[in-house]
Amino acid sequence: MLVASQTPQSPHVLREYAMISDGERAALIGPHGDVAWMCAPRWDSAAAFSSLIGGGGSFAVTPASGRYVWGGSYQDGTLIWTSRWVTTNAIIECQEALAQPADPHRAVLLRRVRAVSGPALMTVVFEVAAEFGQHNMTRLKCADNVWTGRSGPLYVRLSGAGDASVQDGVLHLGFEVAAGGVHDLVLELADQPFHVAPVDADAAWAETESSWHDAVPSLLTTIAPDDARQSYAVLRGMTGTSGAMVAAATLGLPERAQEKRNYDYRYAWIRDQCYAGQAIAACGDYSLLDDSVRFITGRLLEDGPGLKPAYTVSGGRVPDETDLKLPGYPGGSAKVGNWVNEQFQLDAFGETLLLFAAAATHDHLDLENWRAAEVAVQSVTDRWQEPDAGIWELNNDSWAHSRLTCAAGLRAMAVHAPPAQGGSWTSLADTIVASTAADCLHPSGRWQRSPSDARVDAALLLPTLRGAVPAADPRSLATVDAVRSELSRDGYVYRFSQDARSLNQAEGAFLLCGFDMAMAVHQQGHEVEAMRWFERNRAACATTGLFTEEYDVEQRQLRGNFPQAFVHAAMLESASRLATPPNRIQS
């Protein structure tokens, strides 16, 4: 029997991870076949595998040969990942997926090893360590090639490893797959006892592949159909049955080493959800748009003007930030919860109106959604003059982006409202724009961040894209020029100039802003330039094609939590918008 020695799994650079997901939770797979991260049973549950941040747990399916090189790819338009290893004597693949349709109480992780060329000699190390490594596996027993056990609150079942041995509560297995053969491993993690038979691997694979095929459109009218389908699949995989889309699958991954900018993004941000919904609307497929509208409607009708910036996927309060007392990903720290739960972000109301307007354009807004839109309008009416934390979640200020986004949302919804109501909303938008111009118009003619902050901000590209002011407005033209000259380097865009340091020393390039820049210059009629911005930022992804929030241009590394949903949304929207000739403006 081949036996692997148990060694701590060091984290990899982010570009080497793949994510598999089923909408209710995700797992990150590393180049050694290691599950480095998986929360179960839900996105914001404690992790059962957390070596990514220095916690416990292992599910590594690795070639027994010490010499191999790694690669892999996603099945087109899915989050079904295939790891591929070329060893000295063989080519081995391991297909990975979280089974669909998903069960909120039970995660099913499918792993199928295939000997493509030559025999596959594999080792498996398996230990579920619930609550970020606080609990070992207990009550282990094997019957009919199926192991069962417990790890803290989780029930564990592993099929396909009947020959494994137990050493200090950890399963170790070595097996060989003849050339052309396959071997299935199926892990089930649940918060309830198992009342059904173990999963049949063949049936689960067939149903999962069919589910993905039905869920992701072809997107052939975009400028990059393959990558557009992949981004759509990411958004689909990060959206659960509640309609909520998590911002990212992970927590604590640093945006900048040792600078304490490492957060928990396993929650549903209102703004991010609206970005995704608008991207989907631009592509002409509406199931994810409906999910976004449904989740946002529920939050507005429940919380009204007290709308929070983010919620748990079940619509609850995001927990306060606490330290897990783990080493964390190198350069970061392991914290759960997020301080955003106490913030007011005015632009969220504007983004919800833009989302509802996109849905109304495609006749996907019902009476309850209209009620929510009216709540959002009333909230803007009551609160637009209040300071807020803004898109970047900083100190409270009268941020120009927040106010202009509300104006854009009001204008967009006014188109679909009865004349008297629509006129009132347009009038309010005019008032907000005039007020913002009175205290946030820079002497150069561009928009500035706030009355007390004269810097330009890449977020100020968005209100023009969304219609707060016309693209031909001199303020719009000047703002794009300022972002181009002051905040861009080498085809990438930074949020704002943080301090006296150069842009790249303060933080990574912000990929959301790069895609927004592509759409902004396209809107102004500069199609070739738009393609340059798009292609530069499209390339700033992992080996697996996934995006993080930031990109370290000098080191060509991904920074921040992984993957970041709103970047995939921006990529998807720009791939759609750049495929249509712009309405050329007069310069």
Side-chain angles (χ1 to χ4, degrees):
M1 178 182 293
L2 301 169
V3 178
S5 60
Q6 183 188 12
T7 57
Q9 191 61 253
S10 296
H12 311 285
V13 291
L14 294 181
R15 66 172 180 268
E16 294 184 332
Y17 285 107
M19 180 190 76
I20 57 176
S21 178
D22 61 7
E24 303 297 334
R25 78 285 293 175
L28 297 192
I29 312 292
H32 300 309
D34 49 309
V35 178
W37 179 256
M38 182 176 175
C39 297
R42 290 169 292 279
W43 290 105
D44 55 357
S45 300
F49 302 108
S50 54
S51 64
L52 186 72
I53 59 170
S58 177
F59 189 12
V61 180
T62 312
S65 168
R67 287 179 54 79
Y68 57 82
V69 292
W70 163 87
S73 62
Y74 281 106
Q75 191 177 122
D76 184 36
T78 76
L79 290 184
I80 298 173
W81 172 255
T82 298
S83 296
R84 180 179 173 90
W85 300 283
V86 178
T87 74
T88 305
N89 301 307
I91 298 175
I92 305 165
E93 294 182 346
C94 186
Q95 196 174 35
E96 328 256 10
L98 281 165
Q100 294 206 42
D103 180 339
H105 296 284
R106 181 175 60 132
V108 178
L109 175 54
L110 307 173
R111 311 192 75 175
R112 172 166 281 179
V113 177
R114 178 177 289 106
V116 177
S117 173
L121 305 177
M122 307 297 292
T123 61
V124 177
V125 178
F126 177 75
E127 179 189 20
V128 178
E131 306 284 339
F132 300 101
Q134 293 185 36
H135 301 282
N136 298 324
M137 288 197 301
T138 60
R139 308 182 197 178
L140 283 170
K141 61 181 180 180
C142 184
D144 299 325
N145 201 37
V146 176
W147 285 91
T148 57
R150 294 288 303 275
S151 178
L154 296 178
Y155 294 82
V156 180
R157 187 158 65 183
L158 178 66
S159 304
D163 293 334
S165 62
V166 182
Q167 301 174 22
D168 299 324
V170 180
L171 295 183
H172 296 267
L173 173 68
F175 63 88
E176 178 176 338
V177 182
V182 300
H183 183 94
D184 284 303
L185 295 163
V186 179
L187 169 63
E188 299 169 75
L189 294 176
D191 59 3
Q192 302 172 346
F194 297 112
H195 295 301
V196 295
V199 171
D200 176 87
D202 288 335
W205 274 114
E207 195 164 12
T208 299
E209 290 175 344
S210 177
S211 293
W212 278 112
H213 180 269
D214 293 342
V216 178
S218 62
L219 300 176
L220 296 178
T221 59
T222 66
I223 60 172
D226 290 354
D227 283 357
R229 285 192 294 273
Q230 201 58 54
S231 283
Y232 189 105
V234 170
L235 298 178
R236 176 74 274 172
M238 297 175 76
T239 303
T241 53
S242 69
M245 181 195 76
V246 293
T250 56
L251 62 85
L253 304 190
E255 297 172 4
R256 199 75 177 171
Q258 310 300 339
E259 291 197 7
K260 299 181 180 179
R261 296 207 305 267
N262 22 256
Y263 307 106
D264 185 354
Y265 282 177
R266 301 170 302 150
Y267 309 106
W269 260 254
I270 296 295
R271 179 189 305 107
D272 297 20
Q273 185 103 43
C274 292
Y275 287 169
Q278 291 175 76
I280 297 300
C283 292
D285 185 86
Y286 309 123
S287 61
L288 277 175
L289 172 63
D290 293 340
D291 284 338
S292 297
V293 169
R294 173 164 54 93
F295 184 75
I296 300 297
T297 292
R299 307 290 68 74
L300 277 167
L301 293 180
E302 185 170 330
D303 291 344
L307 183 75
K308 297 295 184 182
Y311 293 83
T312 66
V313 292
S314 59
R317 181 181 183 273
V318 171
D320 294 336
E321 191 175 78
T322 57
D323 197 319
L324 287 172
K325 309 300 183 184
L326 291 173
Y329 188 87
S333 60
K335 296 179 180 179
V336 295
N338 197 295
W339 64 351
V340 75
N341 58 13
E342 297 298 332
Q343 288 189 345
F344 165 51
Q345 295 177 14
L346 174 66
D347 68 300
F349 293 111
E351 292 294 350
T352 63
L353 291 173
L354 288 164
L355 173 69
F356 291 146
T361 299
H362 300 288
D363 197 24
H364 276 245
L365 213 64
D366 63 22
L367 290 177
E368 187 175 59
N369 305 144
W370 267 104
R371 284 180 51 225
E374 290 171 342
V375 168
V377 171
Q378 189 60 51
S379 299
V380 172
T381 303
D382 294 342
R383 304 197 68 177
W384 72 267
Q385 298 180 79
E386 293 182 33
D388 77 299
I391 183 175
W392 307 132
E393 301 176 351
L394 303 171
N395 55 294
N396 282 349
D397 204 340
S398 296
W399 299 107
H401 166 269
S402 295
R403 288 181 282 167
L404 293 174
T405 298
C406 288
L410 289 165
R411 294 196 198 286
M413 278 304 295
V415 173
H416 304 283
Q421 192 176 44
S424 172
W425 295 354
T426 299
S427 177
L428 177 56
D430 291 341
T431 299
I432 294 173
V433 171
S435 175
T436 308
D439 60 15
C440 285
L441 195 62
H442 190 266
S444 67
R446 62 161 172 83
W447 296 109
Q448 66 182 46
R449 303 186 76 210
S450 76
S452 61
D453 190 337
R455 291 172 292 176
V456 68
D457 193 315
L460 291 167
L461 297 171
L462 275 167
T464 297
L465 274 172
R466 302 306 187 201
V469 292
D473 188 296
R475 296 166 295 188
S476 303
L477 298 173
T479 300
V480 171
D481 285 343
V483 172
R484 184 190 285 115
S485 62
E486 298 180 35
L487 297 180
S488 68
R489 299 289 186 276
D490 301 319
Y492 299 101
V493 179
Y494 295 80
R495 294 185 298 170
F496 53 89
S497 179
Q498 304 254 357
D499 46 42
R501 293 175 293 175
S502 63
L503 293 169
N504 66 318
Q505 289 179 338
E507 66 176 2
F510 222 72
L511 296 178
L512 170 70
C513 299
F515 287 119
D516 287 346
M517 187 65 170
M519 290 187 282
V521 298
H522 178 267
Q523 184 185 47
Q524 294 186 353
H526 309 304
E527 295 178 76
V528 174
E529 183 187 355
M531 288 297 296
R532 291 194 185 112
W533 289 106
F534 176 80
E535 292 296 351
R536 190 64 159 158
N537 285 269
R538 178 165 73 127
C541 62
T543 304
T544 58
L546 302 177
F547 293 105
T548 51
E549 189 172 39
E550 297 183 19
Y551 184 68
D552 187 321
V553 178
E554 284 194 343
Q555 297 185 33
R556 304 194 181 196
Q557 297 284 5
L558 309 183
R559 304 295 186 209
N561 282 294
F562 184 83
Q564 191 79 27
F566 66 48
V567 180
H568 287 273
M571 183 272 162
L572 180 60
E573 183 177 359
S574 55
S576 177
R577 295 197 182 280
L578 268 61
T580 303
N583 295 320
R584 296 188 180 277
I585 65 174
Q586 297 296 318
S587 59

